Amino acid sequence: MSARTPPPTTRGVHHALGVLASGTGTILEAIVAAGLPVAVVVVDRPCGAEKRAADAGVAVEVVERRDYSPSFDRAAYTSEVVGVLGRHEVTTVAMAGFGTVLAPAFFAAFPRRVLNTHPALLPAFRGWHAVGDALAAGVTVTGCTVHLATEAVDEGRILAQRPVEVFPADDEAALHERIKSVERALYPDTIRRFMDGQFS
Ligand code: GRF
């Protein structure tokens, strides 16, 4: 754990959070700012999340994905990520905009211990283009969902959801930013409650 990582949250049980990210990293930043016990941040490419982790004094490891072709060795890549999380003694994983779908071995290594935040009200608008898809569908309300992540993308038990109104003038960037401002509060709060055992 980094020097700035606060002590584990609950009752003498070892809790260490691993965060997986690929994007600008504002959700990751909110997780760190909330004082959750982040042991390591793993990114799959050089990205804003990597810089935000470093700036916050949190350990960050780049497990760079170099292959985006159909022959991408997902199993080998997954085992590298699992290895890094294991070295940092991670007990719970929070995905925060991670762009690589990991192989089943990842979920087997952290059974029912992987959380995800998704910028739509699941089960509506699964997938990487959730915000644009919601706009294209003409919904007037969308939102965000925190759920247990499983092998099936954007499936798994829903832990928390919040609605976000869609305004007529919204483009994808404006709507996504409004959703993320909600995620930045909801996700850290839900992760904390999860690590405290409130969803068992
Ligand atoms: C969030 O909307 C998250 O739900 C999605 O990716 C976004 C990450 O945002 N999966 P940021 O890179 O942390 O700003």
Side-chain angles (χ1 to χ4, degrees), residues 91-136:
T91 58
T92 301
V93 182
M95 299 206 285
F98 193 62
T100 297
V101 175
L102 295 173
F106 168 64
F107 299 94
F110 298 96
R112 302 185 61 78
R113 303 294 302 175
V114 181
L115 281 74
N116 184 43
T117 178
H118 182 76
L121 292 174
L122 292 173
F125 307 118
R126 294 189 171 106
W128 195 249
H129 302 289
V131 179
D133 291 347
L135 267 183

Side-chain angles (χ1 to χ4, degrees), residues 23-28 97 117-119 176 180 183:
T24 57
T26 65
I27 308 281
L28 157 71
T117 178
H118 182 76
H176 198 176
K180 289 208 291 186
E183 291 184 276

Side-chain angles (χ1 to χ4, degrees), residues 167-185:
F167 300 142
D170 273 342
D171 60 14
E172 188 173 333
L175 178 57
H176 198 176
E177 187 46 45
R178 217 160 53 253
I179 294 170
K180 289 208 291 186
S181 70
V182 177
E183 291 184 276
R184 291 193 277 266

Side-chain angles (χ1 to χ4, degrees), residues 132-198:
D133 291 347
L135 267 183
V139 296
T140 59
V141 177
T142 181
C144 54
T145 302
V146 179
H147 64 103
L148 285 182
T150 67
E151 284 172 45
V153 175
D154 298 329
E155 300 269 359
R157 179 182 166 192
I158 291 172
L159 304 179
Q161 292 186 301
R162 291 287 180 279
V164 173
E165 196 178 346
V166 181
F167 300 142
D170 273 342
D171 60 14
E172 188 173 333
L175 178 57
H176 198 176
E177 187 46 45
R178 217 160 53 253
I179 294 170
K180 289 208 291 186
S181 70
V182 177
E183 291 184 276
R184 291 193 277 266
L186 183 66
Y187 199 28
D189 176 64
T190 309
I191 295 168
R192 183 187 307 284
R193 292 195 295 127
F194 180 83
M195 292 179 97
D196 282 349
Q198 289 187 30

